Amino acid sequence: MGLTVLMNAGPWLPVPPPGYGGIENVVATLVPELRRLGVRVVLASTADATLPVDELLSVFPDGQFGALQRPYNQVCGISHAHLNGVVRALRERDDIDLVHDHVEAVGLAVLTAMGPGSGPALHTLHWDLGKHPDLYGYLDGGDRVRVNGVSAAQLARAPQALRDHAVGHVHLATPLAVAADRRPPVEKSDHLVILGRITPGKGQHVGARLAHQAGFDLVLAGPVGPYLRPEELAAAGPEADQNPDVRYWREQVAPLVDGDRVRWVGMVAGGARDELVAAARASLFPLCWEEPGGTAVIESLALGTPVLAIGRGCLPELIEHGRTGLLAEDEEGLADLVREVGRLDERDCRREASRRFTPATMAQRYVELYDRVRRSATRPVDPYPVDPSVDPSPVRA
Ligand code: UDP
């Protein structure tokens, strides 16, 4: 009998997500390959998830992402309600060999708190590990709850207690990498592209400034907070400014978007996204944060588009400077490299993607980690040990 994994994708978006959805996309990329390797997958997502799995568990009928615009005290129960459903399933059934969890902070906290009553768990850290220092700094999951990063650079920034639980990192993958080395090249246009959420860390303001200074055409593609299209954002009232990404857009990016040298096309999906990136001379990542995993980076390689980036976070792990991209230390260095990007061979990008970033490679690595986590989960820690001198019957008035 093969391994059964409860894959917890969380309550925010169905799997696969209809458009933007980093974590849900990773799950959608990983699960088919795991199943091909003989793993039975019980997916915990929302009821409208359409990914083929062996079983779907859900608490919410559909993705709760829209609720995230409301104040914290109105939405903080959503991931807990979802986890409640997961915990109930783990308590009621005995066929789950391992939980692979992707729910930020709450997933890790709940699985740790479950104690030895639940089996081994692997929690994938998809985000910046400078976050949640109070949780990560004091984590104690015993030998039962383990974590993995999505890059070595990301884990290197984690607090020691979190790193003590780590079983390594697994780079992200994209279905676009499958046979990318055998696809014919796409004719390039003259533009550069920044694909990603419009948010300070991704540095769209830096990219737009460079485009004006260095004189290249730049297309910005991605949502601004919950607004997917320019018309939607234009129609939004002043309350939209409560969202920090909307404020970033209005204050720092929009003044540089002239519709000519720099354009914003909103969120692009599917074939339109691939065409936009494949036709670009380069993908620009003028990063202002330590990029943890960089899905858009490996997608660009798979589409035969070299990467021009500030080499922060995972970028030096994903990009070979001078072959698949050019990495600068800062904005000034990036400006110098724009002219050189034409000398990179797009075939090298596609070859690298098909060698390193396919879903099959990622799934193989996760199966190895599942095995490691299960084998090391021999000494469970009980955070609430039972005191035999205490009468367990309920107290009656
Ligand atoms: N994305 C997309 N359309 C957009 C902008 C982004 O489909 O308009 C996708 C992009 O292709 C990638 C994901 O969103 O798959 C972003 O993941 P990444 O790890 O690059 O950034 P994150 O937002 O998770 O920090």
Side-chain angles (χ1 to χ4, degrees):
M1 172 86 169
L3 190 72
T4 297
V5 171
L6 190 151
M7 186 72 64
N8 187 17
W12 302 115
L13 290 165
V15 182
Y20 181 79
I23 292 168
E24 295 78 6
N25 261 320
V26 175
V27 173
T29 302
L30 174 62
V31 165
E33 292 300 324
L34 287 177
R35 295 182 78 218
R36 237 188 292 280
L37 293 172
V39 176
R40 215 179 131 246
V41 176
V42 178
L43 176 67
S45 176
T46 52
D48 56 343
T50 53
L51 187 76
V53 288
D54 297 283
E55 204 181 319
L56 176 65
L57 292 181
S58 61
V59 170
F60 291 95
D62 49 25
Q64 300 298 300
F65 189 73
L68 286 177
Q69 300 312 312
R70 301 208 304 265
Y72 175 75
N73 65 1
Q74 291 175 27
V75 299
C76 63
I78 292 176
S79 42
H80 298 75
H82 174 88
L83 259 298
N84 250 346
V86 170
V87 169
R88 200 176 316 122
L90 291 175
R91 292 223 192 279
E92 283 171 2
R93 49 201 288 174
D94 60 3
D95 62 328
I96 306 294
D97 298 306
L98 176 131
V99 179
H100 186 176
D101 179 76
H102 302 265
V103 179
E104 184 163 354
V106 180
L108 182 61
V110 168
L111 289 166
T112 303
M114 276 189 84
S118 78
L122 178 66
H123 171 82
T124 297
L125 302 154
H126 292 271
W127 35 84
D128 169 15
L129 302 182
K131 290 205 266 179
H132 319 306
D134 304 312
L135 174 65
Y136 293 158
Y138 302 93
L139 184 71
D140 184 2
D143 288 335
R144 192 180 52 82
V145 179
R146 299 291 186 172
V147 301
N148 78 280
V150 289
S151 68
Q154 175 210 27
L155 273 181
R157 277 167 49 84
Q160 189 59 46
L162 187 61
R163 266 189 284 155
D164 289 345
H165 290 73
V167 285
H169 66 275
V170 183
H171 284 143
L172 296 169
T174 169
L176 294 169
V178 177
D181 54 340
R182 296 205 290 273
R183 273 202 298 272
V186 169
E187 200 175 323
K188 295 286 184 192
S189 306
D190 219 27
H191 66 272
L192 270 64
V193 66
I194 301 181
L195 178 76
R197 285 177 291 139
I198 300 202
T199 189
K202 303 279 181 187
Q204 280 89 355
H205 64 297
V206 177
R209 202 155 56 204
L210 269 182
H212 289 291
Q213 278 164 12
F216 59 85
D217 292 342
L218 178 65
V219 179
L220 306 177
V224 176
Y227 303 101
L228 306 185
R229 311 230 48 82
E231 314 80 77
E232 285 174 31
L233 184 54
E239 74 286 352
D241 276 339
Q242 283 174 14
N243 185 300
D245 289 345
V246 172
R247 282 203 302 278
Y248 167 63
W249 164 260
R250 287 187 172 159
E251 288 162 16
Q252 296 193 56
V253 187
L256 300 168
V257 177
D258 60 359
D260 181 26
R261 192 51 106 187
V262 181
R263 292 185 295 134
W264 176 43
V265 296
M267 193 191 82
V268 289
R273 179 197 66 176
D274 299 352
E275 277 169 31
L276 176 70
V277 174
R281 210 152 40 93
S283 286
L284 191 58
F285 293 89
L287 299 174
C288 299
W289 76 329
E290 307 304 323
E291 180 74 40
T295 310
V297 174
I298 60 171
E299 288 167 348
S300 180
L301 296 183
L303 291 164
T305 299
V307 166
L308 185 56
I310 294 179
R312 295 183 65 167
C314 63
L315 268 290
E317 288 169 54
L318 306 181
I319 298 301
E320 193 183 325
H321 179 75
R323 199 171 74 89
T324 55
L326 296 173
L327 301 181
E329 270 185 27
D330 50 24
E331 181 176 350
E332 218 171 282
L334 207 53
D336 294 337
L337 293 177
V338 172
R339 283 178 296 278
E340 289 183 44
V341 79
R343 72 181 162 87
L344 301 179
D345 187 341
E346 62 93 33
R347 283 172 303 187
D348 283 331
C349 300
R350 289 188 284 113
R351 266 187 224 123
E352 184 79 338
S354 55
R355 189 174 70 83
R356 293 180 62 199
F357 304 121
T358 59
T361 303
M362 176 169 69
Q364 189 57 51
R365 179 97 174 96
Y366 271 113
V367 167
E368 283 161 26
L369 291 193
Y370 295 163
D371 192 45
R372 240 179 103 186
V373 172
R374 292 182 67 227
R375 277 191 287 119
S376 69
T378 49
R379 286 179 291 122
V381 170
D382 187 345
Y384 308 110
V386 176
D387 180 346
S389 65
V390 174
D391 177 0
S393 53
V395 179
R396 287 179 213 287

